[in-house]
Amino acid sequence: MLAVTALAAVATPFPGFFGLLRVLHVLDWAGAITVLFIWLTWGWAATKLLQGFVFGAERMESDTDIGHVSTLAFAGMLGVFIAVGLYSTGGGL
């Protein structure tokens, strides 16, 4: 059930997949590349989720937590994703 839920969240294979294809046909090239990048990031996150839950913990030991600079960089990227999303939708959700 978890695998099916994760695949549905990633929008594969149906109906979200075809919905995203329709969005790609409507957008210009810059918007399409942005949507593809977000789709790729979302797919990677779902794969990591499945790897952790279905297949168990990673085989190698994890390193220490990320530093302050990395945290700010990731927060900045999240802010950029939010700004691009709001700009792409015309400011409304």
Side-chain angles (χ1 to χ4, degrees):
M1 186 67 178
L2 178 64
V4 173
T5 304
L7 289 175
V10 178
T12 56
F14 184 81
F17 174 77
F18 296 106
L20 280 173
L21 282 180
R22 176 69 181 139
V23 167
L24 291 176
H25 285 287
V26 172
L27 292 175
D28 62 341
W29 68 272
I33 289 175
T34 304
V35 168
L36 286 174
F37 179 72
I38 293 170
W39 195 3
L40 177 69
T41 306
W42 193 254
W44 172 80
T47 303
K48 292 298 283 183
L49 175 78
L50 285 176
Q51 180 184 8
F53 285 135
V54 176
F55 303 113
E58 294 182 12
R59 302 211 184 263
M60 54 189 225
E61 291 292 323
S62 81
D63 293 328
T64 58
D65 200 4
I66 62 174
H68 185 67
V69 175
S70 298
T71 303
L72 290 177
F74 289 133
M77 282 181 25
L78 179 62
V80 168
F81 281 146
I82 292 170
V84 168
L86 289 173
Y87 177 75
S88 296
T89 59
L93 299 175

